[in-house]
């Protein structure tokens, strides 16, 4: 969840394809990117293939289950962790849920993931269906092998590398929030990230706030685009008709690789422009513009003072401010 309480040194980051892609690249992951999906159509997912999973952001409205013994949709599958080696971590830090959902997809599709020979997943073990997660995340995964979900969650939350990389994408702010909030005021909306991915021929929902992974049935990798849509539609249907605050990201192969393989020069150029735009936006997120704004304001004041329009400028600004306040009160 995204909240300031119990953050444990983890900042809130945006649900953004450029942020998520750059985050995993800084962690050492190769050949993977995120793409925002604006329609719940299998074709939109299939067009990005290979797709390793999706990350879903939604408004938190409490537990998704009325019973501790069963989720609201699907079924708990503790054996997936205990016997099949599925990476699943409990969420122990609120602001870490975005990165935790990302890693839930990445670490269950890496090159060290061995499909069960008796399952349909064995047919999905081609190189393009597996992710090179790099040495740092491989070391983390190896270290947490055999841990229960709670201990895995603690290990993730206490990882300096993962936390510092995550926090490097938080928006820069030079101001400390010292506002005394009214304890009786309405609480702000809280949002939560979860992941969906195929593992050993099944479709899993990986939500760190749940006690176990949730299985949504058999799902060969090539059927993921068709299987995931009704699962997402059922979750969205729990909300009032007017609720539109959802965000869905596909975790897919770097689209530049596909463009190069198909000798699509136009597509490759488009993907390179997109990467340049992501780099620019991420640089802006990290930059503190207070000093720049102050210098611009000083320059404007000096210019107004020199041409004799300073007093008129101030007077007009005060009139505009009073007018805006009156309209707001009205």
């Amino acid at each position: 969840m995204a909240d300031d309480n119990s953050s444990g040194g983890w900042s809130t980051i945006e649900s953004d394809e450029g942020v998520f892609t750059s985050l995993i690249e800084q962690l050492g992951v190769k050949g993977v990117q995120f793409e925002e999906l604006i329609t719940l159509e299998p074709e939109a997912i299939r067009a990005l293939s290979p797709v390793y999973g999706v990350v879903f952001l939604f408004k938190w409205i409490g537990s998704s289950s009325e019973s501790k013994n069963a989720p609201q949709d699907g079924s708990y599958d503790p054996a997936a962790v205990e016997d099949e080696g599925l990476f699943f971590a409990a969420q122990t830090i609120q602001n870490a849920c975005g990165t935790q959902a990302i890693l839930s997809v990445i670490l269950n599709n890496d090159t060290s993931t061995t499909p069960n020979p008796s399952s349909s997943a064995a047919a999905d073990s081609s190189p393009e269906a597996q992710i090179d997660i790099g040495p740092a995340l491989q070391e983390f995964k190896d270290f947490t092998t055999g841990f229960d979900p709670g201990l895995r969650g603690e290990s993730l939350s206490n990882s300096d590398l993962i936390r510092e990389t995550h926090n490097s994408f938080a928006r820069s702010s030079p101001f400390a929030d010292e506002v005394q909030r009214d304890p009786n005021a309405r609480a702000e909306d809280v949002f939560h990230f979860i992941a969906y991915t195929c593992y050993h021929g099944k479709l899993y929902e990986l939500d760190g706030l749940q006690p176990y992974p949730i299985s949504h049935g058999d799902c060969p990798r090539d059927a993921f685009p068709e299987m995931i849509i009704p699962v997402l539609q059922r979750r969205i249907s729990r909300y009032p008709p007017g609720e539109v605050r959802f965000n869905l990201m596909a975790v897919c192969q770097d689209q530049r690789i596909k463009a190069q393989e198909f000798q699509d020069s136009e597509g490759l150029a488009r993907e390179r422009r997109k990467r340049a735009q992501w780099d620019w936006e991420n640089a802006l997120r990290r930059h503190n513009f207070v000093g720049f704004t102050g210098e611009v304001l000083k320059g404007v004041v000096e210019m107004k003072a020199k041409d004799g329009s300073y007093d008129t400028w101030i007077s007009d600004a005060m009139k505009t401010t009073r007018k805006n306040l009156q309209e707001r009160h009205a």
Side-chain angles (χ1 to χ4, degrees), residues 168-245:
S168 70
F169 290 93
R171 285 191 176 277
S172 174
S173 175
F175 304 110
D177 186 1
E178 297 179 348
V179 177
Q180 295 295 319
R181 291 180 172 81
D182 181 357
N184 298 317
R186 179 178 176 272
E188 294 183 0
D189 290 334
V190 176
F191 292 84
H192 183 50
F193 290 90
I194 61 175
Y196 294 89
T197 190
C198 287
Y199 187 83
H200 287 194
K202 291 185 178 180
L203 173 58
Y204 284 102
E205 175 182 330
L206 303 176
D207 179 354
L209 296 181
Q210 298 297 326
Y212 307 107
I214 299 173
S215 171
H216 291 281
D218 293 339
C219 180
R221 186 182 296 276
D222 60 3
F224 179 78
E226 286 74 26
M227 296 289 291
I228 187 59
I229 298 302
V231 174
L232 292 170
Q233 289 173 334
R234 288 195 296 270
R235 176 174 279 277
I236 292 172
S237 69
R238 302 174 196 169
Y239 290 80
E243 181 59 69
V244 295
R245 289 173 293 178

